Amino acid sequence: MEEAGEIVHIVDAAALERHLQRWGADDEDSHDAHEPIGYVLSLEGADSIVTLRHLERAYAQGLRAVGPAHYGPGVYAQGTNATGGVGEKGRGLLREMERLNIILDATHLCDESFWECLEVFRGPVWASHNNCRALVPHGRQFSDEQLRALIDRGAVVGVVFDAWMLVPDWVRGSSTPQNRGVTLAQVADNIDHICQVAGNALHAGIGSDLDGAFGTEQGPADVDTIADLQKVPALLAQRGYSAQDIENVCHGNFLRFLRKAWS
C-alpha cells in the first residue's frame, strides 16, 4: 500500500508535520483527491516481542506504540477478562519502551495491570480505543478513577464504536444494533463522559476500532461506511460543544499528544 501511494508511515514529528501540511491545504482543488492515509504503527498485545532486543528492532522498523496485553493472560501483562499484574517481564518491557520513547497504549489492560503499568512507566500514555465503565459496566471499559489517572498523565482516550461496548447487557448472537437502539448517540455519550470527567474536551478522541473484525451487525445502526464518522461533529454540536472542542475531539487531541510525545 505504501508503494502504491495509498498510505504513509508516520514515525516522528517531522513526518507528522509534512503529512499534515499535505492534507491541510485550504483549497481542496490544490491537492489530489486521493491523498494517502497517514498511520502510526502500533502493536496490540506484546506477546510477539520475543526478547527486549526484538522491541528495539521493531522500533527501528517504525513501531511507535505498544499495548502490552489484548484479551486474556499475556507474557508481559494481563488483558481483558484476565486478572493480575505485569510481573518482572512486563516491567522490563515497560522500562525498554520508556527508553525508546514508545507510547504505552493502556487499552485492554485489566485493572491490576493497568495500575502497575502507570506506576512503572513514565513515558507517554494513551488509550487508542476504550470506553467508559460508568456507561457499560464491564472490565473492558475504564472506570472514572482510571480515566482521571490517564487524564492526569495527559492521555487521549479514543472512543470505540463496537456495539457491545456502547450499551449494557449486549448478548452476542441475539442483540443487534437495531433491537438495542445502538447509534452514534452512544458514541457521543462516551465522548461526553470523558470530557465531563476531565472538565474539558482535551482528552477524548475517536478510536472507532472499525478495523474489519466486525461489520454493520456489531456497529452503530447509523454507520454504514467509514465516511459516517463525519456525523460525529454534528452530534457534539447539538450537545453544546464548540467548534474548537469538536476539532480537538476529531483530530486535535491526538495531534497535540503526538507532537508532545515526539518533541
Side-chain angles (χ1 to χ4, degrees):
M1 292 178 71
E2 287 182 341
E3 291 172 359
E6 297 172 348
I7 59 175
V8 173
H9 191 180
I10 309 298
V11 297
D12 55 27
L16 178 65
E17 298 304 334
R18 284 195 302 271
H19 188 67
L20 293 175
Q21 186 175 23
R22 185 172 184 175
W23 273 84
D26 293 331
D27 181 4
E28 292 185 2
D29 294 331
S30 69
H31 60 76
D32 191 337
H34 302 286
E35 295 287 6
I37 294 170
Y39 74 95
V40 176
L41 187 62
S42 178
L43 178 63
E44 184 174 51
D47 288 13
S48 60
I49 303 297
V50 182
T51 70
L52 297 185
R53 291 296 302 274
H54 286 81
L55 182 65
E56 188 173 36
R57 186 185 306 175
Y59 178 83
Q61 294 169 342
L63 182 66
R64 291 297 181 267
V66 171
H70 190 217
Y71 274 86
V75 172
Y76 298 103
Q78 314 313 311
T80 301
N81 296 331
T83 58
V86 302
E88 189 50 44
K89 279 193 173 182
R91 287 172 176 263
L93 178 77
L94 293 167
R95 287 190 291 268
E96 185 68 356
M97 287 172 57
E98 185 174 335
R99 183 183 74 82
L100 294 169
N101 197 38
I102 292 175
I103 297 162
L104 168 64
D105 191 345
T107 304
H108 280 291
L109 291 169
C110 75
D111 287 3
E112 296 94 335
S113 286
F114 174 92
W115 291 113
E116 191 172 353
C117 280
L118 289 196
E119 176 188 349
V120 172
F121 184 79
R122 306 316 305 170
V125 182
W126 69 18
S128 60
H129 57 294
N130 229 99
N131 285 0
C132 306
R133 198 174 298 180
L135 302 179
V136 176
H138 188 280
R140 171 69 177 85
Q141 325 277 47
F142 285 141
S143 68
D144 285 2
E145 184 183 11
Q146 289 172 307
L147 289 173
R148 282 189 286 269
L150 289 169
I151 290 163
D152 287 345
R153 293 285 293 269
V156 179
V157 180
V159 169
V160 185
F161 288 44
D162 196 338
W164 80 266
M165 296 181 65
L166 294 172
V167 293
D169 304 318
W170 177 273
V171 179
R172 190 178 298 275
S174 62
S175 295
T176 68
Q178 290 74 24
N179 68 29
R180 293 302 311 279
V182 180
T183 69
L184 287 169
Q186 284 90 4
V187 172
D189 288 343
N190 279 271
I191 292 172
D192 185 59
H193 187 83
I194 295 166
C195 293
Q196 298 304 325
V197 171
N200 55 53
L202 298 175
H203 298 278
I206 295 175
S208 88
D209 211 19
L210 299 177
D211 58 358
F214 57 89
T216 55
E217 82 289 345
Q218 201 173 310
D222 48 353
V223 173
D224 185 51
T225 76
I226 199 70
D228 289 319
L229 268 66
Q230 296 173 97
K231 298 175 180 178
V232 172
L235 290 172
L236 295 177
Q238 291 167 11
R239 297 176 184 226
Y241 282 77
S242 70
Q244 185 62 63
D245 290 336
I246 294 168
E247 184 176 321
N248 285 336
V249 170
C250 288
H251 63 271
N253 290 334
F254 276 119
L255 293 181
R256 186 187 68 253
F257 178 96
L258 286 172
R259 284 171 170 140
K260 182 177 179 181
W262 291 345
S263 63

